[in-house]
Amino acid sequence: MDDDSAEIELLEQNLNKTRQISQRMTSILTSFDTRLVKLEKSILPLYTSTQKLKQRALNIDSALLKIDEVASSQEGVAVEEGLILRGPQPGQLEVYMGTLERLNAAIAFKASAADSRDNARLVETGAKKLTQLYTKLVAEGSSGSPPIGLEFTLTVLPPALIASLQPLVAFLRTLPLPSTHPSHPAAPEILATLKDAQRGYADMRGTWNRKALETHAKRLIDRAETLDGVTAGKDFGTWVDNLLRVAETEYTLLADLAPLPSSSLLASTYDALLTPLLTLFTDTLSSLTSLIKRSLHKYTFHALAAYSSLATSQTRWEVLFSRRGDARRDANELRDGLNAIRGVCLRSFPEFLVDLKMAATAPGKGGELSVGLADITVSTVKYMERIPEVQEAVGSALLSLGDGNWKMGDGKQIGKAQKSTLGEGDENTIIKHYIFDVVNTIISSLTTMSRTQRRGAFGSIFLLNNISYFRSRVLLNPTNPATARLLSKPTEESLNSNFRTAKAGYFDANFSPLMQALTEDVREKAGGSAWRAATKEKFTRFYDLFEEVGERHRMAKVLEEDEEGRLAVVEEVVKLVVPSLQQFTQKQRDKEFSKNPQKYIKLSTEEVESQIRSFYR
């Protein structure tokens, strides 16, 4: 028990000590708390002041950063402004375009109105500088003298120049416009600037191409007076083809290089570019038409060949020039030119027939001593030989004129029923009808001219020479085989019939008097001295006439250019004269019409035949 009490007492003592220690600690902590309260009250004003200083320090730092940013920005604007105002420098086009892109981006994303106005001003200036560069590059490729030569050379912008223009054009097409950037301050001015540049492009390229074509146009007109008609007409067609090639090439180039590629602006620009070329075309065609009208009979094939060439180009022309837009859709310079040339062609057919008719009465045609080829014979042959070369144009024009309406002054009307039977596709038929009238008109005129000869024998030689030549060149042995295919069956029959008539007239005028001298008359049948005198007179008359025929044929050559025809005529003359002379001579010898027959029989039949053959050598 004592031990337990001792332990309890010890625990109580320890507990008292612990309590005393706790009280002292509580007292100390209470003292600390009081002191902390006093310290907090002392430090709180200082803390509050320190927080204000920190905020001010932060504000000052922010202000300094803003000042630095503004200063840097102003310095960058000044640099960019200088770059824009100087314009694109060699090798720095990408830098220049990049600067404009940044300025446009700044306008799009910055709210400051003042900054946007300044940037818009710089963008507008930069756009003008770039369009000036664009115009300068186009001018470099459109200045100077085009290539000079007999053949036209198509000249476009050099490839290196196109390579320089392409990135520039690509950037110009990205510039802000009212249609794409309605809120951009510089959009209206940029649009006006690009329009001016595009108009300038059209003017420069149009003027350049006109110069390139104009030299050849002048040469074409100068040579037209001396060139063959078909060749001159084909030359004109080649020149029109070159003009169309230029127009096609320029449209492709414009589509690639136009700063404003919208369809409406492209059409108006293309129209402006084509205006100088179309003016040149109209002037050239007008000059050619004036030349043709000045002497239609001389330049008929100029008109027909030009008409043919233009008609061939019509579809291509309409497709190409429809790109000028709706405003010019009704304008068609080639169609107007075709109508003008077509009118001239329509006039040429009746006027040609009138010229053939007038040739029969014109002074100097088929003169007294001339039995050679008449001018109208040669010219008509040439006319018919050239028709196949422009056959399509001739057929088309004749169909427009109407079957038979080329007979001016004949008082003949073609009925409506007959007119309606011929239409598109009947070109060959109507050409054959026209050729029939040409052949009959030339034959009629040649016949009239032959009758104006005072001596019918010379007139018969003239008619035979001309009709034979005409028949040979257009029917039997044409230089152009296509000529014979233009002759209808009635035309061939007319030629052959008139050739036979001309040959019969030749024999009648030159050899009928000879044959009449060898015929018997009443005195021969009666016999006696009257018969002998008549026989002597007949021999004398025959040889006198034969001598005249020989002299005539030495002066007037028969079928000089037709050896085959000439040999055929020789044989016919020999068969006509020699047997009759031989029979008459033998008969009179047997009757002993004279004691000295050689006095009257001046030439033997062999000698007569030999002389006849010599007439045609």
Side-chain angles (χ1 to χ4, degrees):
M1 286 291 292
D2 293 337
D3 290 336
D4 292 334
S5 299
E7 287 178 2
I8 291 169
E9 185 176 353
L10 181 62
L11 285 171
E12 286 178 352
Q13 290 175 358
N14 289 336
L15 182 62
N16 289 330
K17 287 179 182 180
T18 301
R19 188 181 292 110
Q20 291 173 359
I21 292 170
S22 298
Q23 288 176 350
R24 283 199 296 271
M25 288 180 66
T26 301
S27 177
I28 292 169
L29 289 173
T30 302
S31 177
F32 280 161
D33 184 58
T34 302
R35 290 178 181 177
L36 284 174
V37 171
K38 290 179 180 180
L39 180 60
E40 184 180 0
K41 289 180 180 180
S42 300
I43 291 174
L44 185 59
L46 179 61
Y47 174 78
T48 303
S49 300
T50 301
Q51 289 298 315
K52 290 180 179 180
L53 288 174
K54 283 183 178 180
Q55 185 63 43
R56 288 173 183 173
L58 288 174
N59 290 341
I60 290 170
D61 289 342
S62 297
L64 290 173
L65 288 174
K66 191 66 177 178
I67 290 170
D68 289 341
E69 183 182 345
V70 171
S72 176
S73 175
Q74 290 298 321
E75 184 179 352
V77 170
V79 172
E80 290 181 340
E81 184 174 6
L83 179 65
I84 296 298
L85 294 177
R86 281 197 305 273
Q89 301 300 307
Q92 296 185 345
L93 181 61
E94 293 295 332
V95 175
Y96 196 87
M97 293 189 298
T99 302
L100 285 177
E101 285 181 343
R102 286 194 297 276
L103 290 171
N104 276 322
I107 293 172
F109 295 107
K110 287 188 179 179
S112 172
D115 287 346
S116 294
R117 284 195 299 271
D118 291 340
N119 289 338
R121 177 179 55 81
L122 290 177
V123 170
E124 179 186 335
T125 302
K128 289 180 178 179
K129 295 290 184 182
L130 288 177
T131 54
Q132 288 172 5
L133 175 61
Y134 170 84
T135 301
K136 177 185 175 184
L137 291 174
V138 174
E140 286 178 6
S142 308
S143 58
S145 299
I148 298 175
L150 295 179
E151 298 296 329
F152 175 77
T153 302
L154 182 63
T155 54
V156 295
L157 293 174
L161 202 58
I162 293 176
S164 299
L165 280 166
Q166 284 174 336
L168 176 59
V169 170
F171 181 77
L172 290 175
R173 290 178 176 182
T174 66
L175 289 175
L177 301 174
S179 59
T180 57
H181 297 75
S183 62
H184 197 291
E189 288 297 327
I190 292 174
L191 176 61
T193 299
L194 293 180
K195 282 184 176 181
D196 289 342
Q198 198 151 306
R199 278 194 295 269
Y201 176 95
D203 291 341
M204 287 185 285
R205 294 306 300 165
T207 302
W208 166 260
N209 286 303
R210 175 180 175 123
K211 284 198 300 184
L213 288 162
E214 193 168 25
T215 302
H216 294 274
K218 290 179 179 178
R219 181 170 175 269
L220 170 73
I221 298 302
D222 291 342
R223 296 177 65 217
E225 294 192 41
T226 56
L227 276 182
D228 164 75
V230 174
T231 303
K234 288 181 177 178
D235 280 357
F236 180 68
T238 301
W239 182 83
V240 172
D241 180 72
N242 290 332
L243 186 147
L244 290 173
R245 282 201 298 139
V246 167
E248 289 167 344
T249 303
E250 286 297 332
Y251 184 81
T252 303
L253 199 61
L254 176 63
D256 290 339
L257 300 180
L260 297 169
S262 68
S263 57
S264 59
L265 289 173
L266 205 61
S268 62
T269 305
Y270 190 52
D271 182 50
L273 189 153
L274 290 178
T275 297
L277 301 183
L278 295 175
T279 301
L280 177 62
F281 169 79
T282 303
D283 292 345
T284 303
L285 182 58
S286 177
S287 298
L288 183 62
T289 305
S290 297
L291 173 69
I292 293 168
K293 288 181 177 179
R294 195 164 67 231
S295 182
L296 182 55
H297 73 280
K298 180 179 179 181
Y299 299 118
T300 296
F301 284 94
H302 288 67
L304 291 169
Y307 179 78
S308 178
S309 298
L310 289 179
T312 302
S313 303
Q314 189 170 11
T315 301
R316 184 179 168 199
W317 180 290
E318 289 175 353
V319 170
L320 181 63
F321 286 84
S322 64
R323 297 170 179 169
R324 292 185 290 173
D326 295 337
R328 298 295 302 277
R329 190 171 298 278
D330 293 335
N332 191 323
E333 291 77 4
L334 185 135
R335 182 183 59 208
D336 297 340
L338 265 176
N339 289 336
I341 288 287
R342 177 172 165 273
V344 175
C345 292
L346 295 183
R347 275 181 48 203
S348 72
F349 302 114
E351 289 193 16
F352 181 71
L353 290 176
V354 169
D355 288 342
L356 292 183
K357 293 176 184 177
M358 295 298 294
T361 58
K365 300 290 183 181
E368 177 64 18
L369 297 178
S370 174
V371 295
L373 299 178
D375 291 342
I376 61 164
T377 304
V378 176
S379 64
T380 304
V381 167
K382 290 180 178 178
Y383 180 87
M384 292 179 61
E385 287 176 343
R386 303 315 298 270
I387 285 180
E389 299 180 51
V390 288
Q391 186 168 342
E392 186 176 344
V394 172
S396 174
L398 287 174
L399 283 175
S400 298
L401 184 62
D403 192 6
N405 289 338
W406 49 78
K407 299 177 183 179
M408 267 179 29
D410 282 358
K412 297 179 181 179
Q413 289 287 333
I414 306 302
K416 292 182 179 179
Q418 183 176 350
K419 281 186 180 180
S420 63
T421 61
L422 293 180
E424 187 175 350
D426 292 322
E427 287 83 358
N428 287 340
T429 301
I430 200 167
I431 290 175
K432 288 180 178 181
H433 290 179
Y434 174 67
I435 293 298
F436 176 81
D437 287 333
V438 169
V439 168
N440 283 297
T441 302
I442 182 67
I443 289 174
S444 175
S445 292
L446 290 173
T447 302
T448 301
M449 292 167 67
S450 70
R451 292 169 181 166
T452 62
Q453 295 276 3
R454 293 181 181 177
R455 289 179 286 181
F458 282 98
S460 68
I461 295 174
F462 166 83
L463 186 61
L464 177 62
N465 283 343
N466 280 271
I467 290 184
S468 174
Y469 172 83
F470 188 81
R471 173 173 172 265
S472 175
R473 290 293 297 272
V474 302
L475 177 61
L476 302 181
N477 301 298
T479 304
N480 185 352
T483 304
R485 292 195 287 271
L486 300 178
L487 305 180
S488 62
K489 191 67 176 177
T491 306
E492 294 179 7
E493 292 173 355
S494 177
L495 275 170
N496 291 330
S497 173
N498 280 280
F499 171 72
R500 291 191 295 269
T501 300
K503 187 164 67 172
Y506 164 73
F507 281 113
D508 184 62
N510 288 276
F511 298 103
S512 287
L514 285 176
M515 305 311 296
Q516 289 173 1
L518 300 178
T519 57
E520 292 184 346
D521 57 21
V522 178
R523 290 178 297 175
E524 291 181 60
K525 294 179 180 179
S529 58
W531 159 72
R532 291 187 179 88
T535 301
K536 294 174 184 178
E537 181 182 344
K538 285 183 178 293
F539 275 116
T540 301
R541 179 167 175 73
F542 175 85
Y543 286 109
D544 287 345
L545 290 172
F546 186 71
E547 185 176 350
E548 288 181 13
V549 171
E551 184 65 26
R552 185 183 308 133
H553 280 75
R554 282 189 288 273
M555 294 171 57
K557 297 296 182 181
V558 177
L559 304 181
E560 190 171 11
E561 297 186 15
D562 183 6
E563 182 177 1
E564 184 179 348
R566 190 168 63 250
L567 292 176
V569 169
V570 169
E571 297 304 323
E572 290 187 51
V573 173
V574 169
K575 289 178 182 179
L576 175 67
V577 176
V578 173
S580 297
L581 175 63
Q582 187 174 19
Q583 182 181 0
F584 183 79
T585 301
Q586 186 62 43
K587 181 178 180 180
Q588 304 309 324
R589 280 181 183 276
D590 293 343
K591 290 183 178 181
E592 296 181 356
F593 72 96
S594 173
K595 295 179 181 179
N596 186 14
Q598 298 303 322
K599 178 179 178 181
Y600 300 100
I601 305 174
K602 297 179 181 179
L603 298 172
S604 66
T605 53
E606 291 79 9
E607 290 174 323
V608 169
E609 180 178 349
S610 176
Q611 287 199 22
I612 288 174
R613 293 185 182 279
S614 70
F615 296 166
Y616 301 92
R617 291 174 187 161

